[in-house]
Amino acid sequence: MDDRQSNARACADSGPSPDTSPPAGVVHVRTRLTSDFTVLANALAQRRGSAVTVGVAAYILSLPDGARVSIAALCAHFTEGEILISRALRELEAEGYVERRRVRLPTGRFRTCTYVHDVPHGTVRKRPRHPRTERPPTPHPTPGPPKPPAPGRPPREPRNHPAQGEPAPSRGLPTPPQRARTQPT
């Protein structure tokens, strides 16, 4: 029992080295932050679509409570224009990250309160992001048992379509005479 058989590393890991880093792709060099940082869900950071939408969401999540997040205030911070900022807010609202409510003040005036969720709020109606390209899935009918024939009628026989070039099966009806094809000379 005097043998030392440890599976622990001899020294602490000092970060990625050229020997252990992947041959391609991202290598994260992390710094442990203890102040002035924002936690951002991967679902939001890695969402498909506009980078402006992700940036607006990250910026709004980094603001303290009570900060103004109107379109004018966001346009003052970002270089993007009013149209892109308002589109990003609509996308975030449709996905449940942003919730805007109009509140009546005691003076009778209205004010919009914006609630920002770090994960999507569950009770929001979903709008398609790109209505021109995304179509709702078409339901595929599942084959069920065959329907019984109506009372008083004989059961229908399934239709068999003949392959091209084969004569149609006889059903007791006379077939019209076929015309001979003539080839041009």
Side-chain angles (χ1 to χ4, degrees):
M1 290 296 203
D2 288 337
D3 288 332
R4 294 176 103 189
Q5 296 179 357
S6 174
N7 59 357
R9 289 186 173 173
C11 61
D13 198 11
S14 60
S17 68
D19 300 332
T20 61
S21 63
V26 67
V27 176
H28 295 281
V29 179
R30 307 244 187 228
T31 302
R32 185 159 184 88
L33 299 173
T34 57
S35 64
D36 297 330
F37 67 94
T38 299
V39 176
L40 192 63
N42 284 342
L44 176 61
Q46 297 171 1
R47 73 180 281 283
R48 297 187 60 84
S50 171
V52 174
T53 303
V54 175
V56 167
Y59 175 69
I60 292 173
L61 284 169
S62 73
L63 294 175
D65 284 352
R68 292 182 42 86
V69 290
S70 64
I71 294 174
L74 293 171
C75 286
H77 177 78
F78 291 106
T79 58
E80 284 74 18
E82 224 174 272
I83 293 172
L84 287 177
I85 298 294
S86 62
R87 183 181 299 156
L89 285 173
R90 279 194 309 272
E91 283 184 30
L92 291 170
E93 192 172 11
E95 292 177 19
Y97 288 102
V98 172
E99 184 182 352
R100 294 187 268 195
R101 295 184 195 163
R102 291 190 66 186
V103 178
R104 185 179 213 131
L105 300 176
T107 61
R109 299 179 76 190
F110 285 95
R111 174 170 289 158
T112 301
C113 290
T114 305
Y115 297 89
V116 182
H117 304 272
D118 51 357
V119 292
H121 190 58
T123 60
V124 174
R125 67 184 191 283
K126 296 281 184 176
R127 282 190 248 159
R129 239 186 296 181
H130 304 289
R132 290 186 201 118
T133 58
E134 291 181 8
R135 293 185 178 173
T138 57
H140 296 288
T142 56
K147 294 181 181 178
R153 287 190 178 175
R156 282 178 102 176
E157 292 183 21
R159 292 184 182 179
N160 293 328
H161 297 286
Q164 200 168 22
E166 292 181 11
S170 172
R171 293 189 187 154
L173 299 174
T175 56
Q178 300 248 339
R179 290 187 199 165
R181 291 189 182 176
T182 58
Q183 293 190 4
T185 58

